[in-house]
Amino acid sequence: MFRLEVRVSTPAWFNLALPLLAIAATLVLCSGLIALAGAGVIEAYGVMFTASLGDSYAITETMVRAAPMIFTGLAVAVAFRAKFWNIGAEGQLLAGAVASCFVGAIPMSGPLAMLLMAVAGAAAGAAVALAPATLRVKFKVDDVVSSLLLNSVIYYALMALIEGPWKDSFSGYPISPPIEDSANFPVLLEGTRLHLGVVVALLAAPLIWFLIVRTTLGFRIRVTGENPEAARYGGIHVERVLISTALLSGALAGLAGVGEVGGVHFQVMSDISPGYGYSGIVVAMLARLNPLGVVPAAIFLAAVMTGAEAMSRATGVPAFLSDVIQGTALLAMLVALLFTAYRIRRVGVAR
Amino acid sequence: MSAVFEQIFQVGFLAAIIRIATPLAFATLGEMFSERAGVLNLGIEGIMLLSAMTGFTATSLSGSLWLGVLVAVLTGMLMGALHALFTVALGLSQHVCGIGVTLFSSGLAYFLYRLIFGQQSVPPSIKGFETLPVPVLSSLPVLGPAVFNQFALVYMAILAIPLAAFVLYRTPWGLSVRMVGENPRAADSAGVSVIATRFQAVILGGALMGLAGAFLSMAQFNAFTFGVVSGRGWVAIALVVFGRWDPWRSAGAALLFAFVDALQLRMQASGLGHIPYEAFLMLPFIFTIVAMAVMSRNAVAPSALLKPFRREER
């Protein structure tokens, strides 16, 4: 006889094993689609791997794509730790992009411009995230729905800007005017797109890990998420913690937008984010909400996205496979997480 | 001002409102059933997209519009069942699963569409539904041509509203749905299967979302494009809240949104407006967020929304 038992604690190796299990399951499930498209599964995944991680240039391209997802992944991980259900990283990213582009277009010395772009972008993202947090704290409004709906509000606001007063008068396209050349983030490796923002993203992860694991605020965030009643009993001002978490989460998502403007696009357009905010949820879940885990999780998704285009050219399998992989990975990870809540135990048969 | 007034009372304008409201009404009713049973379905955006794709494809390959509608509905039900499997049977967090279902379904829709139709310079289209005038009623002044000279799916949406209200408020199954959404523990004690009822409600919701998708690709646009849903699923999420989880109010909210959207399209077309059209598109989301803040004091959301039910946990 087997039976399900509630687990009290999970061994540490689960943190690595579960995401790997979820990713393996995802690749197996999605191989059916590759076969359906009439291509060799090994070949398709092989091309995907080579084109995203096979040589140093490919790795830089993957890292450029991973950077925004590291930031949105961190944003979601921090928020979910406090059980502040921030589904709004997409909108916060867009707000960060708009604010930083606005600042970057003002002529000033390069380093100052980059610093102010980051500050403005983080502030804009934080401001957007503040809305659902305030509504939850003051009016008990469900943060899932309000943060999700704000994405659409921000998106239309961005569209109104770039199709209206902000429209690039030079090209006539619905894109914002570019930022100053001096504000473009420096490229770190000649001949690649690897920009300063990627390094900042990689540094942000251990910083946020330290904040969550080793500081008072981090402790408050964790306790508020795990047991708000106990937190309150222990003298933690839960509402204030939720607001701080939202500000931090929104600022991180805003920085994702800053990197895209300063390091990749140098202006704002309607499709500046191919859903990086939603990908952040996938990244955070794969990372089990651990800020250090966010980096490999984001690199995995970025590699899939980068590799999918080359795979499509080589094998004819539609590049949209990467979108399916993303969705499947999230669902597979959620199922894998059941192993943290339950264990299968063999029960001896009574004689 | 009178110019604006004339615009509003044109028959074409009224017909446009009804047409814009139709997919929203289906989607909103679908989401409402799911949420009344206690399950938030954020998969709606992706489910509508995938259904729009499968319905379009089935029609394109078979030539039969109703077969396409059937396939779209079955797609919606299947994805609803998938969401229920994760959130009801396994009790996983509803919002994260919903995002997962949306990412998965949208990805699958894009993938399969590209696989079946390839990359064509002119996207393939079908001969979609044609208007079906209702005898006698369609000759009424104003209302006749606007409401009773529409696609068959529009009439289905109009009939779906009272039907949904009847099912929810006047049938034993509707009572079960409301019970498992309000107080699953009590429902369980009364012998109602919480798991089965939630499954049924989410699958029914998926079927309605499938109809919404079918309408978009087979009556409104007669083609499948990657932007065919473009946020209408999220609008439906907003309209359910705005309509206070009630079929009549939700449908009314859909109609109100359709009015604003149609007005926006008219003003854009006639060059009347000085207000950017995006301001109108933002309105339902802003209204909903404000409404949630105002309403929260008399808590109208189903009490067990977002809460998984496990019998053994007390």
mmCIF file with all atom_site columns, all heavy atoms in Angstrom, chain A residues 44-59:
data_model
loop_
_atom_site.group_PDB
_atom_site.id
_atom_site.type_symbol
_atom_site.label_atom_id
_atom_site.label_alt_id
_atom_site.label_comp_id
_atom_site.label_asym_id
_atom_site.label_entity_id
_atom_site.label_seq_id
_atom_site.pdbx_PDB_ins_code
_atom_site.Cartn_x
_atom_site.Cartn_y
_atom_site.Cartn_z
_atom_site.occupancy
_atom_site.B_iso_or_equiv
_atom_site.pdbx_formal_charge
_atom_site.auth_seq_id
_atom_site.auth_comp_id
_atom_site.auth_asym_id
_atom_site.auth_atom_id
_atom_site.pdbx_PDB_model_num
ATOM 1   N N   . ALA A 1 44 ? 16.692 18.917 -33.407 1.00 0.00 ? 44 ALA A N   1
ATOM 2   C CA  . ALA A 1 44 ? 16.080 20.211 -33.106 1.00 0.00 ? 44 ALA A CA  1
ATOM 3   C C   . ALA A 1 44 ? 16.606 20.769 -31.784 1.00 0.00 ? 44 ALA A C   1
ATOM 4   O O   . ALA A 1 44 ? 17.026 21.933 -31.713 1.00 0.00 ? 44 ALA A O   1
ATOM 5   C CB  . ALA A 1 44 ? 14.565 20.061 -33.048 1.00 0.00 ? 44 ALA A CB  1
ATOM 6   N N   . TYR A 1 45 ? 16.602 19.933 -30.740 1.00 0.00 ? 45 TYR A N   1
ATOM 7   C CA  . TYR A 1 45 ? 17.112 20.416 -29.456 1.00 0.00 ? 45 TYR A CA  1
ATOM 8   C C   . TYR A 1 45 ? 18.607 20.717 -29.558 1.00 0.00 ? 45 TYR A C   1
ATOM 9   O O   . TYR A 1 45 ? 19.115 21.648 -28.920 1.00 0.00 ? 45 TYR A O   1
ATOM 10  C CB  . TYR A 1 45 ? 16.848 19.384 -28.349 1.00 0.00 ? 45 TYR A CB  1
ATOM 11  C CG  . TYR A 1 45 ? 15.414 19.394 -27.845 1.00 0.00 ? 45 TYR A CG  1
ATOM 12  C CD1 . TYR A 1 45 ? 14.747 18.212 -27.538 1.00 0.00 ? 45 TYR A CD1 1
ATOM 13  C CD2 . TYR A 1 45 ? 14.728 20.596 -27.661 1.00 0.00 ? 45 TYR A CD2 1
ATOM 14  C CE1 . TYR A 1 45 ? 13.438 18.212 -27.074 1.00 0.00 ? 45 TYR A CE1 1
ATOM 15  C CE2 . TYR A 1 45 ? 13.420 20.603 -27.207 1.00 0.00 ? 45 TYR A CE2 1
ATOM 16  C CZ  . TYR A 1 45 ? 12.777 19.403 -26.907 1.00 0.00 ? 45 TYR A CZ  1
ATOM 17  O OH  . TYR A 1 45 ? 11.481 19.422 -26.444 1.00 0.00 ? 45 TYR A OH  1
ATOM 18  N N   . GLY A 1 46 ? 19.306 19.924 -30.384 1.00 0.00 ? 46 GLY A N   1
ATOM 19  C CA  . GLY A 1 46 ? 20.735 20.152 -30.572 1.00 0.00 ? 46 GLY A CA  1
ATOM 20  C C   . GLY A 1 46 ? 21.008 21.521 -31.169 1.00 0.00 ? 46 GLY A C   1
ATOM 21  O O   . GLY A 1 46 ? 21.854 22.278 -30.666 1.00 0.00 ? 46 GLY A O   1
ATOM 22  N N   . VAL A 1 47 ? 20.269 21.849 -32.238 1.00 0.00 ? 47 VAL A N   1
ATOM 23  C CA  . VAL A 1 47 ? 20.440 23.163 -32.872 1.00 0.00 ? 47 VAL A CA  1
ATOM 24  C C   . VAL A 1 47 ? 20.109 24.260 -31.863 1.00 0.00 ? 47 VAL A C   1
ATOM 25  O O   . VAL A 1 47 ? 20.798 25.280 -31.759 1.00 0.00 ? 47 VAL A O   1
ATOM 26  C CB  . VAL A 1 47 ? 19.541 23.296 -34.116 1.00 0.00 ? 47 VAL A CB  1
ATOM 27  C CG1 . VAL A 1 47 ? 19.611 24.708 -34.679 1.00 0.00 ? 47 VAL A CG1 1
ATOM 28  C CG2 . VAL A 1 47 ? 19.933 22.285 -35.169 1.00 0.00 ? 47 VAL A CG2 1
ATOM 29  N N   . MET A 1 48 ? 19.026 24.032 -31.111 1.00 0.00 ? 48 MET A N   1
ATOM 30  C CA  . MET A 1 48 ? 18.593 25.009 -30.112 1.00 0.00 ? 48 MET A CA  1
ATOM 31  C C   . MET A 1 48 ? 19.720 25.275 -29.109 1.00 0.00 ? 48 MET A C   1
ATOM 32  O O   . MET A 1 48 ? 19.999 26.429 -28.772 1.00 0.00 ? 48 MET A O   1
ATOM 33  C CB  . MET A 1 48 ? 17.386 24.437 -29.378 1.00 0.00 ? 48 MET A CB  1
ATOM 34  C CG  . MET A 1 48 ? 16.424 25.444 -28.847 1.00 0.00 ? 48 MET A CG  1
ATOM 35  S SD  . MET A 1 48 ? 15.072 24.534 -28.064 1.00 0.00 ? 48 MET A SD  1
ATOM 36  C CE  . MET A 1 48 ? 13.717 25.503 -28.583 1.00 0.00 ? 48 MET A CE  1
ATOM 37  N N   . PHE A 1 49 ? 20.369 24.195 -28.683 1.00 0.00 ? 49 PHE A N   1
ATOM 38  C CA  . PHE A 1 49 ? 21.439 24.343 -27.700 1.00 0.00 ? 49 PHE A CA  1
ATOM 39  C C   . PHE A 1 49 ? 22.650 25.050 -28.303 1.00 0.00 ? 49 PHE A C   1
ATOM 40  O O   . PHE A 1 49 ? 23.170 26.017 -27.744 1.00 0.00 ? 49 PHE A O   1
ATOM 41  C CB  . PHE A 1 49 ? 21.844 22.964 -27.150 1.00 0.00 ? 49 PHE A CB  1
ATOM 42  C CG  . PHE A 1 49 ? 22.930 23.028 -26.118 1.00 0.00 ? 49 PHE A CG  1
ATOM 43  C CD1 . PHE A 1 49 ? 22.631 23.332 -24.799 1.00 0.00 ? 49 PHE A CD1 1
ATOM 44  C CD2 . PHE A 1 49 ? 24.262 22.833 -26.470 1.00 0.00 ? 49 PHE A CD2 1
ATOM 45  C CE1 . PHE A 1 49 ? 23.621 23.417 -23.847 1.00 0.00 ? 49 PHE A CE1 1
ATOM 46  C CE2 . PHE A 1 49 ? 25.275 22.919 -25.526 1.00 0.00 ? 49 PHE A CE2 1
ATOM 47  C CZ  . PHE A 1 49 ? 24.950 23.217 -24.202 1.00 0.00 ? 49 PHE A CZ  1
ATOM 48  N N   . THR A 1 50 ? 23.081 24.592 -29.486 1.00 0.00 ? 50 THR A N   1
ATOM 49  C CA  . THR A 1 50 ? 24.264 25.184 -30.114 1.00 0.00 ? 50 THR A CA  1
ATOM 50  C C   . THR A 1 50 ? 24.049 26.666 -30.386 1.00 0.00 ? 50 THR A C   1
ATOM 51  O O   . THR A 1 50 ? 24.958 27.479 -30.192 1.00 0.00 ? 50 THR A O   1
ATOM 52  C CB  . THR A 1 50 ? 24.565 24.481 -31.456 1.00 0.00 ? 50 THR A CB  1
ATOM 53  O OG1 . THR A 1 50 ? 24.238 23.110 -31.325 1.00 0.00 ? 50 THR A OG1 1
ATOM 54  C CG2 . THR A 1 50 ? 26.006 24.640 -31.852 1.00 0.00 ? 50 THR A CG2 1
ATOM 55  N N   . ALA A 1 51 ? 22.849 27.015 -30.847 1.00 0.00 ? 51 ALA A N   1
ATOM 56  C CA  . ALA A 1 51 ? 22.613 28.404 -31.250 1.00 0.00 ? 51 ALA A CA  1
ATOM 57  C C   . ALA A 1 51 ? 22.463 29.337 -30.058 1.00 0.00 ? 51 ALA A C   1
ATOM 58  O O   . ALA A 1 51 ? 22.534 30.562 -30.217 1.00 0.00 ? 51 ALA A O   1
ATOM 59  C CB  . ALA A 1 51 ? 21.368 28.475 -32.129 1.00 0.00 ? 51 ALA A CB  1
ATOM 60  N N   . SER A 1 52 ? 22.259 28.774 -28.880 1.00 0.00 ? 52 SER A N   1
ATOM 61  C CA  . SER A 1 52 ? 22.057 29.653 -27.732 1.00 0.00 ? 52 SER A CA  1
ATOM 62  C C   . SER A 1 52 ? 23.218 29.588 -26.737 1.00 0.00 ? 52 SER A C   1
ATOM 63  O O   . SER A 1 52 ? 23.485 30.575 -26.047 1.00 0.00 ? 52 SER A O   1
ATOM 64  C CB  . SER A 1 52 ? 20.757 29.286 -27.023 1.00 0.00 ? 52 SER A CB  1
ATOM 65  O OG  . SER A 1 52 ? 20.797 27.934 -26.619 1.00 0.00 ? 52 SER A OG  1
ATOM 66  N N   . LEU A 1 53 ? 23.889 28.454 -26.666 1.00 0.00 ? 53 LEU A N   1
ATOM 67  C CA  . LEU A 1 53 ? 24.959 28.310 -25.673 1.00 0.00 ? 53 LEU A CA  1
ATOM 68  C C   . LEU A 1 53 ? 26.218 27.681 -26.275 1.00 0.00 ? 53 LEU A C   1
ATOM 69  O O   . LEU A 1 53 ? 27.182 27.407 -25.562 1.00 0.00 ? 53 LEU A O   1
ATOM 70  C CB  . LEU A 1 53 ? 24.467 27.445 -24.495 1.00 0.00 ? 53 LEU A CB  1
ATOM 71  C CG  . LEU A 1 53 ? 23.276 28.003 -23.706 1.00 0.00 ? 53 LEU A CG  1
ATOM 72  C CD1 . LEU A 1 53 ? 22.661 26.920 -22.838 1.00 0.00 ? 53 LEU A CD1 1
ATOM 73  C CD2 . LEU A 1 53 ? 23.682 29.189 -22.843 1.00 0.00 ? 53 LEU A CD2 1
ATOM 74  N N   . GLY A 1 54 ? 26.220 27.476 -27.613 1.00 0.00 ? 54 GLY A N   1
ATOM 75  C CA  . GLY A 1 54 ? 27.291 26.709 -28.232 1.00 0.00 ? 54 GLY A CA  1
ATOM 76  C C   . GLY A 1 54 ? 28.602 27.454 -28.417 1.00 0.00 ? 54 GLY A C   1
ATOM 77  O O   . GLY A 1 54 ? 29.668 26.853 -28.429 1.00 0.00 ? 54 GLY A O   1
ATOM 78  N N   . ASP A 1 55 ? 28.555 28.759 -28.602 1.00 0.00 ? 55 ASP A N   1
ATOM 79  C CA  . ASP A 1 55 ? 29.805 29.516 -28.728 1.00 0.00 ? 55 ASP A CA  1
ATOM 80  C C   . ASP A 1 55 ? 29.674 30.829 -27.979 1.00 0.00 ? 55 ASP A C   1
ATOM 81  O O   . ASP A 1 55 ? 28.591 31.177 -27.513 1.00 0.00 ? 55 ASP A O   1
ATOM 82  C CB  . ASP A 1 55 ? 30.159 29.753 -30.203 1.00 0.00 ? 55 ASP A CB  1
ATOM 83  C CG  . ASP A 1 55 ? 29.094 30.527 -30.925 1.00 0.00 ? 55 ASP A CG  1
ATOM 84  O OD1 . ASP A 1 55 ? 28.940 31.730 -30.655 1.00 0.00 ? 55 ASP A OD1 1
ATOM 85  O OD2 . ASP A 1 55 ? 28.356 29.925 -31.755 1.00 0.00 ? 55 ASP A OD2 1
ATOM 86  N N   . SER A 1 56 ? 30.776 31.558 -27.900 1.00 0.00 ? 56 SER A N   1
ATOM 87  C CA  . SER A 1 56 ? 30.758 32.728 -27.017 1.00 0.00 ? 56 SER A CA  1
ATOM 88  C C   . SER A 1 56 ? 29.790 33.805 -27.517 1.00 0.00 ? 56 SER A C   1
ATOM 89  O O   . SER A 1 56 ? 29.112 34.448 -26.718 1.00 0.00 ? 56 SER A O   1
ATOM 90  C CB  . SER A 1 56 ? 32.168 33.302 -26.873 1.00 0.00 ? 56 SER A CB  1
ATOM 91  O OG  . SER A 1 56 ? 32.701 33.557 -28.153 1.00 0.00 ? 56 SER A OG  1
ATOM 92  N N   . TYR A 1 57 ? 29.666 33.969 -28.846 1.00 0.00 ? 57 TYR A N   1
ATOM 93  C CA  . TYR A 1 57 ? 28.721 34.981 -29.321 1.00 0.00 ? 57 TYR A CA  1
ATOM 94  C C   . TYR A 1 57 ? 27.292 34.595 -28.963 1.00 0.00 ? 57 TYR A C   1
ATOM 95  O O   . TYR A 1 57 ? 26.508 35.415 -28.468 1.00 0.00 ? 57 TYR A O   1
ATOM 96  C CB  . TYR A 1 57 ? 28.835 35.178 -30.842 1.00 0.00 ? 57 TYR A CB  1
ATOM 97  C CG  . TYR A 1 57 ? 27.838 36.186 -31.340 1.00 0.00 ? 57 TYR A CG  1
ATOM 98  C CD1 . TYR A 1 57 ? 28.046 37.550 -31.129 1.00 0.00 ? 57 TYR A CD1 1
ATOM 99  C CD2 . TYR A 1 57 ? 26.660 35.783 -31.981 1.00 0.00 ? 57 TYR A CD2 1
ATOM 100 C CE1 . TYR A 1 57 ? 27.115 38.485 -31.558 1.00 0.00 ? 57 TYR A CE1 1
ATOM 101 C CE2 . TYR A 1 57 ? 25.722 36.708 -32.407 1.00 0.00 ? 57 TYR A CE2 1
ATOM 102 C CZ  . TYR A 1 57 ? 25.953 38.064 -32.197 1.00 0.00 ? 57 TYR A CZ  1
ATOM 103 O OH  . TYR A 1 57 ? 25.020 38.980 -32.605 1.00 0.00 ? 57 TYR A OH  1
ATOM 104 N N   . ALA A 1 58 ? 26.972 33.315 -29.185 1.00 0.00 ? 58 ALA A N   1
ATOM 105 C CA  . ALA A 1 58 ? 25.625 32.837 -28.850 1.00 0.00 ? 58 ALA A CA  1
ATOM 106 C C   . ALA A 1 58 ? 25.332 33.059 -27.371 1.00 0.00 ? 58 ALA A C   1
ATOM 107 O O   . ALA A 1 58 ? 24.236 33.476 -26.996 1.00 0.00 ? 58 ALA A O   1
ATOM 108 C CB  . ALA A 1 58 ? 25.495 31.357 -29.206 1.00 0.00 ? 58 ALA A CB  1
ATOM 109 N N   . ILE A 1 59 ? 26.351 32.795 -26.537 1.00 0.00 ? 59 ILE A N   1
ATOM 110 C CA  . ILE A 1 59 ? 26.144 32.979 -25.097 1.00 0.00 ? 59 ILE A CA  1
ATOM 111 C C   . ILE A 1 59 ? 25.849 34.447 -24.770 1.00 0.00 ? 59 ILE A C   1
ATOM 112 O O   . ILE A 1 59 ? 24.949 34.744 -23.979 1.00 0.00 ? 59 ILE A O   1
ATOM 113 C CB  . ILE A 1 59 ? 27.370 32.465 -24.303 1.00 0.00 ? 59 ILE A CB  1
ATOM 114 C CG1 . ILE A 1 59 ? 27.435 30.934 -24.430 1.00 0.00 ? 59 ILE A CG1 1
ATOM 115 C CG2 . ILE A 1 59 ? 27.280 32.856 -22.832 1.00 0.00 ? 59 ILE A CG2 1
ATOM 116 C CD1 . ILE A 1 59 ? 28.667 30.311 -23.817 1.00 0.00 ? 59 ILE A CD1 1
#
